[in-house]
Amino acid sequence: WECPFPVIGAVNGPAVTGGFEIAVACDVLLASPRAVFLDNHAKYGVHPGRRLSQRLIHICGVNNAKFATMSSFPIEADLALKWGLVQQVYPDNETLDRESIEVARMMSRNHPMMVKRYKSLIDGGVMGTYAEGLALEEASDRTFYDELTDLKATLADGAAKFQEMLSWVAARE
């Protein structure tokens, strides 16, 4: 939970109870059609202890969390996508593996300090009220630029990436 950098999960089969808890701990969760998520805590009379009950509320809503946990309902990949539990479903394991690595590469090409800040802001913001989340963002904004080790390099990198984005937009037109 305290990992400062993004954790990407790729699920190509059953993620049951403890595996489900590990899956929802990921920042980004990708799946193949073989993925299925199932919580058996209620079935076996075992209390959840790895934040599953609270995390599911934020990921897929209160009623979906109740439905999945209280009934031990198997959540197939397509339903997991509809609920927001996974961000993408890929057609097969090979594509899942390739695209999981590509998502990691996309994140790694971004400014590492900002990626970590975003993760911290989002994780912290979801734990409180909207106003508390705004206060977190404001406090982070006040310190971000002072904590950069090389502002000139960051600005040059940002300018180059902006030009890449302009080329990408132009290619789409």
Side-chain angles (χ1 to χ4, degrees):
W1 294 107
E2 286 76 30
C3 182
F5 51 83
V7 176
I8 300 166
V11 180
N12 184 39
V16 179
T17 311
F20 194 6
E21 290 175 328
I22 292 169
V24 299
C26 296
D27 298 299
V28 173
L29 195 55
L30 309 172
S32 78
R34 293 186 60 231
V36 61
F37 303 88
L38 178 65
D39 178 39
N40 283 325
H41 286 98
K43 181 180 283 187
Y44 301 121
V46 176
H47 197 282
R50 302 290 176 261
R51 302 182 187 183
L52 181 64
S53 66
Q54 299 307 299
R55 188 89 165 112
L56 275 181
I57 294 167
H58 291 286
I59 293 171
C60 58
V62 172
N63 290 343
N64 288 333
K66 288 177 181 179
F67 176 55
T69 59
M70 290 186 227
S71 68
S72 299
F73 185 83
I75 307 164
E76 304 282 343
D78 288 338
L79 183 58
L81 182 63
K82 288 177 187 169
W83 283 8
L85 181 59
V86 300
Q87 284 66 62
Q88 293 283 339
V89 176
Y90 296 101
D92 53 55
N93 189 45
E94 293 76 24
T95 308
L96 172 64
D97 287 348
R98 184 178 62 250
E99 294 302 318
S100 297
I101 292 168
E102 181 55 28
V103 169
R105 285 187 178 129
M106 290 170 69
M107 289 181 182
S108 71
R109 287 191 289 264
N110 289 331
H111 193 281
M113 191 171 149
M114 192 62 246
V115 170
K116 288 179 183 179
R117 285 278 179 122
Y118 251 133
K119 176 178 169 142
S120 177
L121 286 168
I122 292 169
D123 287 347
V126 77
M127 300 301 280
T129 65
Y130 181 69
E132 290 167 338
L134 290 177
L136 283 173
E137 184 175 301
E138 192 175 307
S140 178
D141 183 40
R142 282 194 301 272
T143 63
F144 180 74
Y145 297 100
D146 293 336
E147 294 178 16
L148 289 174
T149 55
D150 190 346
L151 181 59
K152 189 180 256 186
T154 297
L155 293 174
D157 181 57
K161 288 176 180 170
F162 184 75
Q163 291 303 316
E164 290 174 15
M165 187 266 313
L166 290 176
S167 297
W168 177 81
V169 169
R172 292 180 55 90
E173 293 176 353

